[in-house]
Amino acid sequence: KAGVTQTPRYLIKTRGQQVTLSCSPISGHRSVSWYQQTPGQGLQFLFEYFSETQRNKGNFPGRFSGRQFSNSRSEMNVSTLELGDSALYLCASSLVTSGSTGELFFGEGSRLTVL
Amino acid sequence: GENVEQHPSTLSVQEGDSAVIKCTYSDSASNYFPWYKQELGKRPQLIIDIRSNVGEKKDQRIAVTLNKTAKHFSLHITETQPEDSAVYFCAASVGNEKLTFGTGTRLTIIP
């Protein structure tokens, strides 16, 4: 069974631009979460989508947004990029029930560099 | 919201010795505690998890213990091997709320 696929894998942007990252979850997984990974900060939760609805949200500014489509694929968008947005953005899908958290299956990530 | 602290940030042990990584959490309602391993340049992968109705769980050389009263849980790796070198992340969540991760422990196994 195919794993979680993220595109693009690498990208370079300049300050002020915007970026859209894509994530295709494992077939059958309806939950998709996004994390920002930076050295020393670990995995910072951005948001989670379940059946096209944002179920949880982290403490990131409104420049960070996301959505999920009916086929469970998800996108996240970062507008007005700042140097501090340079990071590895990880997507994870999960086969969860309504009342509990399950194993996260991570993609390889999209490494964003902001110049 | 939930806050997870993880210690130490780096740990070096001789091959064959044991390694222990500790995490504390703030929300007493947290009931799910997974551990993820991330090898260099690779994606994080779940290695073991425990739910709040269990005090200890083992899987071969790895084990996790949970102390709900003190709100801390630990990862124990015995008979360490070179392939255990990686960054380990603990995490905690309540129900189906977001999974909050610790800042990670870089474990180095010295041959």
Side-chain angles (χ1 to χ4, degrees), chain B residues 49-64:
Chain B
D49 59 8
I50 192 169
R51 297 192 185 268
S52 59
N53 58 346
V54 175
E56 183 176 2
K57 184 177 179 180
K58 288 184 179 180
D59 183 3
Q60 300 183 335
R61 295 187 298 107
I62 61 173
V64 57

Side-chain angles (χ1 to χ4, degrees), chain A residues 63-78:
Chain A
R63 300 186 297 107
F64 292 80
S65 63
R67 59 178 176 169
Q68 186 180 33
F69 302 95
S70 58
N71 62 357
S72 294
R73 189 177 71 85
S74 177
E75 289 182 347
M76 67 163 282
N77 183 275
V78 188

Side-chain angles (χ1 to χ4, degrees), chain A residues 53-111:
Chain A
T53 300
Q54 187 179 84
R55 184 162 71 170
N56 291 297
K57 188 177 188 302
N59 299 320
F60 278 79
R63 300 186 297 107
F64 292 80
S65 63
R67 59 178 176 169
Q68 186 180 33
F69 302 95
S70 58
N71 62 357
S72 294
R73 189 177 71 85
S74 177
E75 289 182 347
M76 67 163 282
N77 183 275
V78 188
S79 62
T80 319
L81 284 166
E82 301 177 359
L83 295 178
D85 296 333
S86 295
L88 180 67
Y89 290 88
L90 289 164
C91 163
S93 73
S94 181
L95 184 66
V96 295
T97 61
S98 61
S100 67
T101 304
E103 178 178 359
L104 297 181
F105 293 85
F106 285 89
E108 293 185 288
S110 293
R111 184 165 297 281

Side-chain angles (χ1 to χ4, degrees), chain A residues 35 37 42-43 45 55-56 98-101 103-104 106-108, chain B residues 32 36 38 43-44 46 51 89 93 95-99 101 103:
Chain A
Y35 289 85
Q37 185 172 28
L43 297 161
F45 176 79
R55 184 162 71 170
N56 291 297
S98 61
S100 67
T101 304
E103 178 178 359
L104 297 181
F106 285 89
E108 293 185 288
Chain B
Y32 178 63
Y36 284 79
Q38 186 176 29
R43 66 192 82 189
L46 179 73
R51 297 192 185 268
F89 293 97
S93 70
N96 60 7
E97 293 184 10
K98 65 178 184 178
L99 199 56
F101 283 85
T103 50

Side-chain angles (χ1 to χ4, degrees), chain A residues 5-80:
Chain A
T5 304
Q6 291 188 244
T7 57
R9 292 289 316 282
Y10 303 91
L11 64 167
I12 300 173
K13 295 285 187 179
T14 57
R15 279 180 297 175
Q17 289 187 309
Q18 72 166 13
V19 65
T20 298
L21 309 178
S22 179
C23 173
S24 293
I26 292 172
S27 178
H29 287 193
R30 294 162 61 190
S31 169
V32 174
S33 302
W34 289 89
Y35 289 85
Q36 181 194 66
Q37 185 172 28
T38 54
Q41 292 298 312
L43 297 161
Q44 301 283 309
F45 176 79
L46 283 154
F47 26 67
E48 182 207 1
Y49 287 88
F50 182 80
S51 294
E52 301 180 66
T53 300
Q54 187 179 84
R55 184 162 71 170
N56 291 297
K57 188 177 188 302
N59 299 320
F60 278 79
R63 300 186 297 107
F64 292 80
S65 63
R67 59 178 176 169
Q68 186 180 33
F69 302 95
S70 58
N71 62 357
S72 294
R73 189 177 71 85
S74 177
E75 289 182 347
M76 67 163 282
N77 183 275
V78 188
S79 62
T80 319

Side-chain angles (χ1 to χ4, degrees), chain B:
Chain B
E2 175 68 278
N3 182 50
V4 176
E5 295 189 357
Q6 183 171 349
H7 300 282
S9 57
T10 61
L11 178 62
S12 295
V13 300
Q14 292 287 338
E15 182 178 352
D17 288 350
S18 296
V20 180
I21 302 170
K22 299 180 179 180
C23 290
T24 59
Y25 60 98
S26 60
D27 191 338
S28 57
S30 289
N31 58 3
Y32 178 63
F33 308 91
W35 287 86
Y36 284 79
K37 174 184 180 182
Q38 186 176 29
E39 296 179 19
L40 189 63
K42 297 192 176 180
R43 66 192 82 189
Q45 291 188 301
L46 179 73
I47 55 171
I48 194 167
D49 59 8
I50 192 169
R51 297 192 185 268
S52 59
N53 58 346
V54 175
E56 183 176 2
K57 184 177 179 180
K58 288 184 179 180
D59 183 3
Q60 300 183 335
R61 295 187 298 107
I62 61 173
V64 57
T65 58
L66 171 64
N67 183 326
K68 288 166 53 181
T69 303
K71 290 189 287 186
H72 69 69
F73 55 113
S74 300
L75 177 71
H76 305 253
I77 306 174
T78 59
E79 302 173 10
T80 53
Q81 301 171 3
E83 54 264 37
D84 294 330
S85 292
V87 177
Y88 291 81
F89 293 97
C90 63
S93 70
V94 180
N96 60 7
E97 293 184 10
K98 65 178 184 178
L99 199 56
T100 300
F101 283 85
T103 50
T105 296
R106 181 174 299 279
L107 174 63
T108 302
I109 307 302
I110 304 167

